[in-house]
Amino acid sequence: MDLLAGLREIVGDTHVVTDPDAVAPYAQDWTRRWHGKPLAVVRPATVAQVSAVVRACAAAGVPLVPQGGNTGLVGAGVPQDGEVVLSLARLDSIGPLDPLGKTLMAGAGVTLAQVQRTAREAGLDVGLDFSARDTATVGGIAATNAGGERVMRHGVARFRIRGLEAVLADGSVVRRMSTVAKDNTGYDLVQLLIGSEGTLGVITAVQVDLIHPRKIIGTALVAVSTVDDALTVLRAVQHDFPGLEAAEFFHHDGLQLVLKHERRARPFDRPHPLYLLFDLSDGDGRPDAGEELTELLGGLDCVRDLVVVSTSAERRRLWELRELQTDAVSAEGVPVKLDVALPLNQLSTFERRLAGVVRPVARHAMPILFGHIAEGNVHVNLLNALDEDAEGAVMEAVLDLVASLGGSISAEHGIGLANARWLTLTRSSADLAAMRAIKQALDPEGILSPGRMLPDAAPALKRP
Ligand SMILES: Cc1cc2nc3c(=O)[nH]c(=O)nc-3n(C[C@H](O)[C@H](O)[C@H](O)COP(=O)(O)OP(=O)(O)OC[C@H]3O[C@@H](n4cnc5c(N)ncnc54)[C@H](O)[C@@H]3O)c2cc1C
C-alpha cells in the first residue's frame, strides 16, 4: 500500500490533505519567508493515530514535521519539499485541572489562550503569555521552550511544564505526567523534549504547572532617550518594586509602524527614541504602588515622559503598542528576523554597533528592535534586507556581533532552519557532538524534522 493510502486508513480520508489550496496555510510560515511543498498534511485526532502516522512515515522513509499553530518564527514547523506535515491541531482536549496540585492537562493542539481561560476560571493562571496566544499551541510552546512577557516572574516554558506525552521516531509512546512536584526518577525526558523543536519526538499532551495569579495594579509607559537610560530606569523599578511582573521595550521606529499599520493612538504628544513598559502587581502588598511608581519615575532625570494607568482598558491600550510590533513589521514587509539575547551590560554596545555591522551587507536595512528588556532579549527585525540575505550575510553579521558580546543567537524563538548554520558560534564541537548523539539515539533514521536545529545537511528524501 502506498504511504498516502496508509495514512488515509489511519486518520480518515478528509484528514489527509493534498489539495494545494487547503495545504497552503500549513506550507508557509507566519513570516512568509519559509515555505515548502509537502507530500501531504496529516491531521490525527488521537495519540494512537499519531503513533501510527509516525510508524507509517518511518516505514516509507518519508520525513515528517510536527506543526501546531504555525506561529513559529524560525522556519522549523513548515515542511521542506516532499515532507509530511503532522498537524497536532485536532488533539484539542483540555483537562482535568487539579486545583490542589495546581496542574492542568492539555492536548498538544490546545491554544495558549484556551489554557489561560481554563486556568483563570479556576482562580489560577499559566504564568506564560505572548501576543500569539490565540493561535500558538501548548505542543508548539513546549517544543520551542517559548518565553514571552511573563518570563521575568515565572520563567520560560520549561519552568511551567511538569509533564509530557510524546510519540518517538519509532512510534513508541512515552508518557511522563507527574502527580507529585518532586520526581527524580531517571533522565529527565520531559526537559529533553522541551525545546527540541520537533526533532526528537512529537508531543501529544502537556501537563502545565499553574500559578496563583497576582493582580496587576499598575501599568507604566516610560519614555527615555537611550538604552543606558532604559537600564537605569529598569534597575530603579526592580529595586523598589519586587512585585514587578513584566518589563518590555520598543523604539520610535517600531511605534511608528504600529501607528501606521494598526491605527493606534500615539501615547505622548511628542515622539521619543525609546519606550519601556512595566506591569506592576499587588505581589508586595502595597495598595498605592501605582502612585509610588509614578513618584519614583517622575523623580528620575532620564525619564522624558510618563503615563501610569490602572484600568484594564487603559492597560490593553498601552500593551498593544508593544504587542502589535510583530504584526506591524510584517505588514510593512518580510524582514530578516532574529531573536537574540545580550548580557544587560552589553545591550547598549549591541544597539550602538548594530548599524555598523549591518550597513556594509544591507545598505537599505531598516532595523526595528523591541523585546523583553529584563532578559536582554532583543527581537531584531531588519526590513529591506531580505534580498541581501539570500546567502545569510545579514544574519551572519548580526549573529557574529551577538556572539562576540557573549550573547545568545536565539533567546526564545529557537534554531529551526533560520539559525542552524550559526549554532557553532555559541556551541562547542563537544556540545554539538553530544546533541548529535542524542538525535542519533532517538531518531536514527532522521525521520523527525531533518535539517532543523543541528547544522547538518538533511538526509536525502526517499520518495514513496
Ligand atoms: C505575533 C507573534 C508573537 C510571538 N511572540 C513570542 C514571544 O513573545 N515569545 C516566544 O517565545 N515566542 C513568540 N512567538 C513565536 C511562537 O508563537 C512560539 O514559538 C510558539 O511557541 C509556537 O507555537 P506553535 O503552536 O505556533 O508552533 P509551530 O509554529 O507550529 O511550531 C514551532 C516548532 O515546534 C514544533 N512543534 C509544534 N508542535 C509540536 C508538537 N506537538 N510536537 C513536537 N514539535 C512540535 C514544530 O515542528 C516547530 O519546530 C511569537 C510569534 C508571533 C507570530
Side-chain angles (χ1 to χ4, degrees):
M1 193 188 330
D2 78 9
L3 177 60
L4 289 179
L7 294 173
R8 285 189 185 106
E9 201 148 284
I10 298 165
V11 298
D13 282 0
T14 49
H15 295 298
V16 177
V17 184
T18 52
D19 171 71
D21 288 342
V23 162
Y26 301 88
Q28 174 166 276
D29 81 324
W30 192 92
T31 68
R32 310 189 297 280
R33 180 165 190 184
W34 307 100
H35 39 81
K37 289 198 184 83
L39 177 71
V41 177
V42 182
R43 296 165 38 92
T46 64
V47 61
Q49 289 183 359
V50 174
S51 167
V53 168
V54 171
R55 278 182 214 275
C57 289
V62 174
L64 48 84
V65 56
Q67 190 179 96
N70 199 12
T71 64
L73 299 173
V74 292
V78 284
Q80 306 203 60
D81 291 355
E83 292 179 349
V84 165
V85 176
L86 178 55
S87 166
L88 282 306
R90 291 176 70 220
L91 275 72
D92 58 357
S93 69
I94 187 156
L97 183 150
D98 171 5
L100 202 57
K102 297 204 297 292
T103 60
L104 171 62
M105 302 296 213
V110 174
T111 64
L112 175 58
Q114 285 171 287
V115 171
Q116 289 172 336
R117 266 196 303 276
T118 304
R120 287 170 191 164
E121 279 160 17
L124 296 165
D125 211 338
V126 184
L128 267 178
D129 200 16
F130 51 89
S131 61
R133 59 183 76 81
D134 290 318
T135 316
T137 63
V138 289
I141 284 168
T144 56
N145 185 27
E149 297 153 5
R150 303 287 140 186
V151 169
M152 68 176 296
R153 171 70 54 199
H154 303 292
V156 292
R158 68 171 72 254
F159 293 96
R160 311 272 22 100
I161 293 173
R162 185 184 294 186
L164 285 180
E165 177 187 75
V167 173
L168 302 183
D170 63 358
S172 59
V173 179
V174 287
R175 189 172 163 82
R176 288 249 189 132
M177 304 293 186
S178 193
T179 48
V180 290
K182 290 181 167 177
D183 187 1
N184 269 350
T185 38
Y187 294 136
D188 196 335
L189 296 182
V190 173
Q191 290 298 333
L192 181 63
L193 286 164
I194 295 174
S196 64
E197 296 181 38
T199 62
L200 299 181
V202 181
I203 295 162
T204 47
V206 176
Q207 183 186 28
V208 184
D209 244 330
L210 302 176
I211 56 156
H212 283 293
R214 292 173 169 188
K215 187 168 181 298
I216 303 298
I217 54 172
T219 295
L221 185 70
V222 185
V224 294
S225 299
T226 65
V227 173
D228 284 329
D229 288 348
L231 292 174
T232 301
V233 174
L234 174 67
R235 218 170 12 247
V237 176
Q238 274 182 317
H239 181 268
D240 280 19
F241 293 91
L244 185 64
E245 291 281 317
E248 304 280 311
F249 79 103
F250 52 91
H251 283 263
H252 170 74
D253 291 347
L255 177 62
Q256 289 303 108
L257 291 183
V258 172
L259 302 183
K260 172 178 165 190
H261 293 290
E262 310 291 337
R263 304 198 168 277
R264 294 305 189 270
R266 67 179 66 252
F268 300 118
D269 292 340
R270 54 191 181 127
H272 299 287
L274 185 58
Y275 300 87
L276 289 162
L277 185 64
F278 296 118
D279 256 357
L280 209 60
S281 77
D282 59 358
D284 36 329
R286 289 151 71 176
D288 299 328
E291 283 135 59
E292 291 174 35
L293 180 65
T294 310
E295 205 170 304
L296 170 80
L297 294 169
L300 295 174
D301 288 342
C302 59
V303 171
R304 294 165 55 119
D305 236 329
L306 163 70
V307 58
V308 181
V309 300
S310 57
T311 69
S312 55
E314 292 169 319
R315 287 191 57 237
R316 187 92 313 271
R317 190 173 56 79
L318 294 185
W319 267 96
E320 281 178 351
L321 301 178
R322 159 65 185 87
E323 285 199 335
L324 290 171
Q325 302 258 328
T326 313
D327 300 74
V329 165
S330 188
E332 184 76 7
V334 181
V336 173
K337 209 173 214 354
L338 303 97
D339 163 44
V340 301
L342 280 306
L344 284 181
N345 61 7
Q346 299 290 354
L347 198 54
S348 113
T349 307
F350 172 73
E351 289 218 0
R352 222 177 24 252
R353 287 172 51 189
L354 183 67
V357 301
V358 168
R359 214 171 294 120
V361 283
R363 209 150 49 90
H364 303 293
M366 173 184 173
I368 306 291
L369 309 183
F370 56 90
H372 316 288
I373 194 163
E375 295 89 47
N377 183 179
V378 188
H379 299 315
V380 180
N381 293 267
L382 299 164
L383 285 161
N384 311 328
L386 201 59
D387 291 347
E388 282 79 10
D389 200 42
E391 305 297 324
V394 182
M395 294 277 291
E396 185 149 310
V398 180
L399 295 181
D400 270 344
L401 174 62
V402 170
S404 75
L405 295 173
S408 165
I409 64 162
S410 176
E412 58 179 17
H413 293 165
I415 297 299
L417 289 174
N419 294 312
R421 256 173 75 185
W422 291 285
L423 208 52
T424 48
L425 282 176
T426 53
R427 293 286 177 250
S428 68
S429 49
D431 205 327
L432 287 168
M435 286 198 234
R436 285 192 182 100
I438 292 169
K439 173 72 176 168
Q440 178 66 24
L442 287 181
D443 182 17
E445 303 297 328
I447 287 297
L448 297 175
S449 296
R452 282 73 160 189
M453 178 91 76
L454 289 165
D456 304 323
L461 279 177
K462 289 186 203 157
R463 302 283 168 193

